[in-house]
């Protein structure tokens, strides 16, 4: 290792941030004890992390917790989870068919986070959205699709949390009711015209559809196109069914994988039989079709 490496201040700062991530919420004294650092050193590190926006002090007590900004530390990292494994082939195939890029996003806190994208697979994109890029939950098509397909109680609890954070908006009030939610569920997709929070605000529009693992919404798939290329109604007519078909294929893979994993687990002392698993899958698909 080169002389002067590691840089002790950097190593200590990483240790403090990792400690907070592992434990969720800690006081200064607890952090100092866990990372075995002097209290004054820990204090200076925390002040720096506060300045950078990576941690925040809880409003009701003097504890420190990580913020959503820590997600920016993983931009460029591609996770090899089952969702990404199943989604990638479908995303690439659809991008080759329609030329427009797709993004796979999942819910993280008050945001939707890009987990994978095909922006680098096509020239019809202003920029490459690397994994870790976040969009406000209430202001993107993928967030709308995700919210609309959550169980009602979970959706309302999430919206209540946003209100506590003083993030009230017109869209929050709309998702409190059932009119918009019912429309998105019936259509199977959500739209966002001239995305205000993209890397190029106002220049792209998107269509988002949910991705399921069994009956649970696991994320969303969104197709992004230049806003000046066509009106939203034309984009929906051209691409919505293909996008829904891709999301359905991903969902079926995830549901099948989940069932196969469950098959390996003991049930009343016995392994779940294949016919029983297939019957369960049929019931799941039938319920999804009804919804």
């Amino acid at each position: 290792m080169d002389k002067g490496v590691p840089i002790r201040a950097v190593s200590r700062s990483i240790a403090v941030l990792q400690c907070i991530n592992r434990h969720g919420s800690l006081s200064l004294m607890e952090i100092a004890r866990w990372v075995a650092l002097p209290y004054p050193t820990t204090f200076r590190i925390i002040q720096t992390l506060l300045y950078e926006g990576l941690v925040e002090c809880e409003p009701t007590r003097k504890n420190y917790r990580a913020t959503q900004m820590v997600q920016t530390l993983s931009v460029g990292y591609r996770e090899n989870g089952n969702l990404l494994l199943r989604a990638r082939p479908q995303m690439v195939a659809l991008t080759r068919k329609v030329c427009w890029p797709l993004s796979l996003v999942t819910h993280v806190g008050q945001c939707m986070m890009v987990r994978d994208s095909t922006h680098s697979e096509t020239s019809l994109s202003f920029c490459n959205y690397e994994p870790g890029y976040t969009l406000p939950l209430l202001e993107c098509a993928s967030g709308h699709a995700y919210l609309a397909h959550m169980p009602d109680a979970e959706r309302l609890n999430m919206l209540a949390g946003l209100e506590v954070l003083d993030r009230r908006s017109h869209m929050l009030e709309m998702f409190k009711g059932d009119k918009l939610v019912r429309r998105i569920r019936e259509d199977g997709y959500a739209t966002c015209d001239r995305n205000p929070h993209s890397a190029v605000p106002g220049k792209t529009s998107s269509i988002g559809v949910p991705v399921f693992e069994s009956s649970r919404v696991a994320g969303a798939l969104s197709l992004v196109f230049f806003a000046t290329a066509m009106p939203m109604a034309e984009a929906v007519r051209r691409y919505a069914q293909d996008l829904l078909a891709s999301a359905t294929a991903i969902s079926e893979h995830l549901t099948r994988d989940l069932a196969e994993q469950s098959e390996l687990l003991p049930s009343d002392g016995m392994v779940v039989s294949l016919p029983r698993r297939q019957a369960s899958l049929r019931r799941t698909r039938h319920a999804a079709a009804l919804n």
Side-chain angles (χ1 to χ4, degrees):
M1 186 173 290
D2 294 340
K3 185 178 180 180
V5 178
I7 300 173
R8 188 169 63 169
V10 175
S11 296
R12 287 177 167 181
S13 299
I14 292 172
V16 168
L17 189 55
Q18 288 176 332
C19 178
I20 295 172
N21 278 336
R22 283 194 299 269
H23 296 279
S25 175
L26 293 171
S27 67
L28 266 172
M29 189 64 70
E30 290 172 330
I31 296 168
R33 186 167 61 249
W34 276 107
V35 297
L37 287 176
Y39 184 90
T41 301
T42 306
F43 177 79
R44 290 195 299 273
I45 292 173
I46 288 295
Q47 291 299 305
T48 301
L49 294 175
L50 284 168
Y51 175 79
E52 296 295 339
L54 294 170
V55 301
E56 61 185 4
C57 184
E58 294 185 11
T60 57
R61 53 180 181 168
K62 292 185 177 180
N63 274 24
Y64 296 89
R65 62 192 180 194
T67 70
Q68 291 294 324
M69 281 295 292
V70 298
Q71 302 291 338
T72 63
L73 300 177
S74 64
V75 171
Y77 170 73
R78 177 170 291 163
E79 182 181 335
N80 293 319
N82 199 43
L83 174 60
L84 276 66
L85 179 68
R86 293 305 189 184
R88 185 68 187 178
Q90 296 291 333
M91 294 169 64
V92 171
L94 185 53
T95 294
R96 288 174 179 171
K97 178 180 180 180
V98 302
C99 296
W100 297 111
L102 280 81
S103 294
L104 175 70
V105 296
T106 57
H107 170 240
V108 178
Q110 285 76 50
C111 301
M112 297 300 288
M113 177 182 289
V114 174
R115 308 304 293 273
D116 197 5
S117 80
T118 59
H119 283 264
S120 62
E121 305 286 332
T122 175
S123 61
L124 297 181
S125 178
F126 286 115
C127 58
N128 183 18
Y129 289 89
E130 295 285 353
Y133 189 91
T134 57
L135 296 161
L137 180 66
L138 288 167
E139 299 179 53
C140 60
S142 57
H144 293 179
Y146 184 88
L147 276 171
H149 289 86
M150 292 177 68
D152 292 338
E154 290 184 22
R155 184 183 75 257
L156 293 175
N157 284 337
M158 186 178 297
L159 295 175
L162 291 175
E163 281 190 308
V164 170
L165 295 171
D166 293 326
R167 295 185 179 180
R168 298 184 180 183
S169 69
H170 174 64
M171 292 308 304
L172 187 147
E173 296 302 322
M174 291 188 69
F175 273 104
K176 275 184 172 182
D178 63 352
K179 184 177 180 180
L180 177 60
V181 170
R182 187 169 61 249
R183 191 191 76 195
I184 294 173
R185 287 178 179 176
E186 290 174 353
D187 292 341
Y189 59 84
T191 62
C192 185
D193 213 355
R194 296 190 175 275
N195 300 308
H197 293 281
S198 67
V200 282
K203 293 186 179 296
T204 61
S205 298
S206 57
I207 306 169
V209 298
V211 173
F212 293 92
E213 185 177 47
S214 187
S215 59
R216 180 185 70 88
V217 59
L221 196 63
S222 63
L223 181 145
V224 183
F225 60 96
F226 298 154
T228 55
M230 70 193 84
M232 181 61 74
E234 177 66 14
V236 167
R237 186 187 69 80
R238 290 188 184 186
Y239 308 122
Q241 290 306 311
D242 283 337
L243 189 59
L244 283 165
S246 295
T248 299
I250 297 168
S251 300
E252 288 178 349
H253 277 300
L254 293 175
T255 300
R256 190 178 304 116
D257 291 344
L258 183 64
E260 289 173 353
Q261 292 170 12
S262 300
E263 185 183 53
L264 300 177
L265 299 176
S267 176
D268 298 326
M270 299 181 66
V271 175
V272 180
S273 67
L274 183 60
R276 178 179 169 185
R277 177 170 64 83
Q278 291 173 332
S280 175
L281 280 172
R282 285 196 296 271
R283 288 195 297 272
T284 299
R285 291 168 181 165
H286 179 64
L290 291 177
N291 290 333

